[in-house]
């Protein structure tokens, strides 16, 4: 640490200019900064963010063996394609790493992202066939699987205990030498888009390292920010927060603005800069460069759709992309609030009023909101469940976008962590995973009652997932998605007590407080009110009188017809296993006082099964319709939804300032998100 202090002091001499703006401060570190940085390191150690020397050496050995395998395979492939032995022995081939490992910020047990770069006689099909077969015969390689239809096609495996994600790029060169520079833009000439995406991870990672004033300070700061983001539940590119490459670029920007600061100061300045950043102004590490390769790049002057990105963080390597493309209005608001919280906490720490462990306290998500949507994905076998959960999770950001565009919802906050279903769910639905979304409803003034119908929002999401599963031929019998609206006090029916433990009040501003007056009433299908509006402890079950009022679910006519169709087509021995237990499907008739007890808004969710046209193997199915509200293991009986007029109409997308909930930029237009799009260019420029 003393060496680091000395290095930073020396850097206070006239030095290279980094970034596109002048530094905010060139002040050298003080002795107290060195002490605070050492305390930060010690606070991070218990979280396993640092590998020991033995583990680091093991990674180097594994990568060396993998590189040897690649060279052997390319040589064998060349001979099989009648390339002269003298030439085949010199064509080369190499493994390049990128992401958190290349940046030097990987944690214990983390995977390694790598790209296999091959000369022009090696085809992508060779990589997924002959190289895959070669890996299959290696004794120390386990859990081998290929994902050819991914945005960046990949082979995943475990090599001697190290998980590796290996992508492929074929260059238009006869040979690939060990000293090949992937930073040269000409390497991209005549490449197919999948190869460009594969190389982009390396090119972005290398460029980030070239653009920071001090690598050691950058790495330690990034370790701290990544740990903080994971602990606070905002680390997930897939779910609309930020992924590793985006966090790395934000930290790099902070290092450019404070080139001589140590990690303890940089962490505090990170929160200062980005809690006040005027989004959607882009974060740029360098001026975008022109190229004659004519590849699509992020440029709002040319591409109208780029003007709707709410939190643009632009990769520094050509072709420049927005790595934060998946961020929505809600997820940006959540992250900005977390930046403000981080600023408050680190300011206290640097003043000696607190310690660094406070920064890494997890967000108490299940006490933060009064209303939640529980999203459930279930399948009948473990293999189907893994496949199904991956697809559903990749589309949750579509649901967040649908919800936040609803006129009565201001925040839809998804928790990145999924949870297994309880025993009741497992018994009746096989393998189950659940995600939770915190919801903040907008206050409505001068209204006696407001109907909040989320039928269309939820149904359009489930239709999107079912259709994509059908298009990818992964939709299997027993795969289901269901949703329920649940009050905070009823979460204990879905989650273990330890996940719901109340903690001391957080110091950050609570963005759910504008819903502080909300409460729910359950209404039966005939309109009679079952009042459960009194707030009880989240671990306290319903009393017996309340439970007696909750009737068991009646299977709808459409459900019985669907089961009959399946039984006729498959015989009595292969009857479909249907869950009538505590799987959330619909929250029906929930009354929510928006201003006071006299003004109420009714929330309804009604969902159905796969849309017509989605074919599940083994069944000629029509879409099922069921409407019921689940309170843990007890359901309120409902009727099937048959009148499409009850569904909320599709609203045109508002581009007024009313629709933008950014605390720093008013009037920014919202982006219309197409639920059917799997992924747009630039969504995954590189993993960290």
């Amino acid at each position: 640490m003393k060496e680091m202090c000395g290095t930073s002091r020396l850097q206070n001499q006239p030095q290279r200019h980094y970034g596109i703006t002048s530094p905010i401060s060139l002040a050298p570190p003080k002795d107290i900064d060195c002490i605070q940085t050492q305390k930060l390191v010690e606070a991070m150690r218990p979280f396993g963010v640092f590998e020991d020397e033995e583990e680091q050496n093991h990674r180097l050995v594994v990568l060396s063996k993998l590189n040897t395998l690649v060279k052997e395979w390319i040589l064998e492939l060349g001979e099989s394609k009648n390339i002269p032995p003298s030439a085949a022995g010199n064509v080369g081939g190499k493994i390049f790493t990128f992401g958190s490992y290349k940046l030097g910020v990987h944690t214990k047990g983390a995977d390694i992202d790598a790209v296999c770069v091959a000369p022009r006689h090696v085809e992508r099909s060779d990589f997924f066939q002959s190289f895959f077969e070669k890996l299959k015969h290696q004794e120390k390689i386990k859990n081998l699987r290929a994902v050819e239809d991914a945005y960046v096609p990949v082979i995943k495996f475990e090599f001697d205990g190290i998980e590796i994600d290996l992508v492929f790029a074929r260059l238009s060169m006869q040979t690939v030498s060990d000293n090949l520079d992937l930073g040269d833009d000409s390497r991209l000439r005549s490449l197919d888009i999948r190869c460009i995406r594969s190389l982009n991870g390396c090119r972005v990672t290398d460029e980030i390292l070239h653009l920071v004033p001090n690598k050691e300070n950058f790495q330690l700061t990034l370790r701290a920010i990544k740990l903080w983001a994971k602990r606070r539940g905002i680390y997930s590119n897939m779910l609309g927060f930020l992924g590793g490459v985006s966090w790395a670029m934000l930290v790099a920007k902070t290092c450019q603005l404070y080139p001589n600061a140590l990690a303890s100061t940089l962490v505090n300045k990170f929160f200062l800069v980005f809690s006040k950043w005027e989004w959607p102004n882009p974060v740029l590490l360098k001026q975008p460069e022109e190229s004659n390769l004519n590849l699509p790049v992020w440029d709002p002057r040319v591409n109208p759709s780029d003007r709707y990105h709410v939190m643009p963080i632009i990769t520094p390597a050509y072709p420049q992309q927005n790595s934060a493309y998946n961020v929505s209005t809600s997820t940006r608001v959540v992250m900005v609030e977390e930046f403000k919280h981080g600023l408050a906490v680190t300011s206290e720490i640097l003043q000696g009023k607190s310690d660094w462990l406070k920064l890494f306290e997890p967000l108490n998500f299940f006490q933060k909101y009064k209303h939640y949507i529980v999203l459930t994905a279930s399948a009948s076998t473990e293999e189907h469940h893994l496949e199904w959960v991956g697809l559903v999770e990749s589309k949750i950001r579509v649901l967040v976008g649908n919800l936040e565009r609803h006129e009565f919802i201001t925040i839809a906050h998804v928790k990145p962590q999924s949870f297994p279903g309880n025993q009741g769910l497992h018994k009746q639905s096989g393998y189950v995973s659940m995600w939770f979304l915190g919801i903040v409803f907008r206050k409505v003034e001068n209204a006696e009652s407001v109907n909040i119908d989320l039928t269309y929002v939820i149904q359009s999401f489930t239709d999107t997932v079912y259709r994509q599963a059908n298009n990818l031929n992964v939709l299997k019998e027993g795969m289901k998605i269901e949703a329920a609206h649940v009050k905070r006090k009823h979460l204990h029916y879905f989650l273990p007590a330890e996940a719901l433990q109340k903690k001391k009040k957080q110091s950050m501003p609570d963005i759910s407080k504008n819903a502080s007056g909300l409460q729910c009433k359950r209404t039966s299908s005939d309109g009679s009110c079952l009042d459960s509006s009194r707030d009880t402890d989240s671990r306290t079950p319903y009393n017996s009188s309340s439970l007696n009022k909750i009737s068991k679910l009646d299977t709808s006519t459409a459900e019985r017809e669907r089961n009959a169709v399946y039984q006729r087509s498959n015989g009595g021995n292969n009857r479909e296993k249907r869950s009538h237990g505590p799987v959330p499907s619909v929250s029906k008739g929930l009354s929510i006082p928006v201003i006071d007890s006299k003004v109420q808004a009714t929330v309804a969710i009604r969902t159905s099964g796969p849309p017509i046209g989605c074919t599940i193997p083994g069944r000629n199915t029509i879409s099922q319709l069921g409407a019921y509200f689940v309170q843990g293991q007890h359901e309120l009986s409902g009727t099937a939804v048959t009148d499409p007029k009850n569904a909320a109409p599709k609203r045109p997308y508002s581009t007024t300032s009313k629709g933008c909930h950014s605390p720093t930029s008013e009037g920014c237009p919202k982006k219309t998100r197409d639920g059917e799009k799997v992924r747009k260019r630039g969504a995954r420029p590189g993993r960290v």
Side-chain angles (χ1 to χ4, degrees), residues 251-271:
V251 170
K253 183 68 175 180
T254 309
C255 291
Q256 290 179 343
L257 296 173
Y258 300 89
N260 297 322
L262 294 184
S264 57
T265 302
L266 287 169
V267 169
N268 175 255
K269 298 303 183 185
F270 171 92
F271 294 125

Side-chain angles (χ1 to χ4, degrees), residues 81-302:
K81 294 187 176 185
N82 299 320
I83 295 177
S86 58
N90 296 320
V91 294
K94 188 182 177 183
I95 291 291
F96 291 84
T97 59
F98 62 97
S100 61
Y101 179 76
K102 182 62 182 288
L103 285 174
V105 296
H106 60 285
T107 57
K108 286 185 177 182
D111 65 356
I112 296 177
D113 295 307
V115 55
C116 169
V117 179
R120 65 188 182 193
H121 72 270
V122 182
E123 303 287 343
R124 180 170 293 274
S125 57
D126 297 324
F127 177 72
F128 282 101
Q129 292 171 15
S130 59
F131 185 63
F132 187 86
E133 286 300 315
K134 187 175 182 67
L135 292 175
K136 210 185 261 189
H137 292 94
Q138 303 302 312
E139 186 180 342
K140 292 190 175 181
I141 289 183
K142 300 176 181 177
N143 301 325
L144 181 66
R145 56 211 184 275
V147 190
E148 287 189 68
D149 57 356
Y151 179 74
V152 182
V154 61
I155 294 179
K156 296 172 172 279
F157 55 94
E158 187 179 308
F159 195 159
D160 199 9
I162 304 293
E163 290 186 13
I164 295 177
D165 287 358
L166 187 63
V167 298
F168 175 80
R170 168 183 178 260
L171 300 186
S172 55
M173 304 168 63
Q174 285 186 332
T175 62
V176 173
S177 62
D178 285 344
N179 60 357
L180 175 69
D181 178 18
L182 294 178
D184 186 348
D185 289 353
S186 66
R187 304 287 182 231
L188 305 179
R189 196 177 303 279
S190 304
L191 296 194
D192 111 354
I193 188 64
R194 292 167 298 180
C195 292
I196 292 173
R197 288 171 185 158
S198 296
L199 292 174
N200 206 24
C202 282
R203 288 165 53 82
V204 168
T205 303
D206 291 344
E207 197 65 29
I208 290 172
L209 289 173
H210 291 151
L211 290 169
V212 294
N214 182 298
K215 288 183 184 178
E216 291 77 16
N217 292 341
F218 163 75
Q219 289 167 334
L220 185 53
T221 306
L222 181 53
R223 285 185 185 276
I225 293 300
K226 288 181 67 172
L227 174 61
W228 164 82
K230 290 174 181 176
R231 298 285 290 172
R232 301 299 293 181
I234 55 174
Y235 190 107
S236 175
N237 177 59
M238 181 186 293
L239 293 177
F241 295 105
L242 299 183
V245 70
S246 296
W247 291 116
M249 286 190 286
L250 294 187
V251 170
K253 183 68 175 180
T254 309
C255 291
Q256 290 179 343
L257 296 173
Y258 300 89
N260 297 322
L262 294 184
S264 57
T265 302
L266 287 169
V267 169
N268 175 255
K269 298 303 183 185
F270 171 92
F271 294 125
L272 174 65
V273 169
F274 294 109
S275 64
K276 298 181 182 299
W277 193 271
E278 294 185 357
W279 305 106
N281 288 329
V283 174
L284 295 162
L285 295 182
K286 71 174 190 178
Q287 201 65 40
E289 297 173 356
E290 300 292 332
S291 174
N292 59 2
L293 297 179
N294 295 322
L295 294 172
V297 298
W298 185 86
D299 188 346
R301 298 169 302 177
V302 176

Side-chain angles (χ1 to χ4, degrees), residues 8-19:
S8 295
R9 283 197 175 100
L10 289 174
Q11 286 187 344
N12 198 31
Q13 310 302 322
Q15 55 191 247
R16 172 185 163 190
H17 178 69
Y18 294 85

Side-chain angles (χ1 to χ4, degrees), residues 375-439:
L375 186 67
T376 304
S378 56
S380 53
T381 70
E382 185 175 10
E383 183 183 359
H384 290 172
H385 178 251
L386 288 173
E387 193 171 31
W388 186 230
V389 163
L391 178 61
V392 172
E393 187 172 43
S394 72
K395 293 297 173 188
I396 290 178
R397 67 176 183 274
V398 174
L399 175 59
V400 171
N402 291 348
L403 287 167
E404 69 182 16
R405 287 195 291 271
H406 194 282
E407 59 184 325
F408 294 114
I409 293 177
T410 61
I411 294 293
H413 179 185
V414 59
K415 184 174 177 63
Q417 178 188 2
S418 64
F419 294 83
N422 58 34
Q423 285 189 344
L425 284 172
H426 280 300
K427 285 179 181 177
Q428 302 194 36
S429 292
Y431 295 86
V432 181
S433 289
M434 299 183 297
W435 295 268
F436 292 80
L437 291 83
I439 302 296

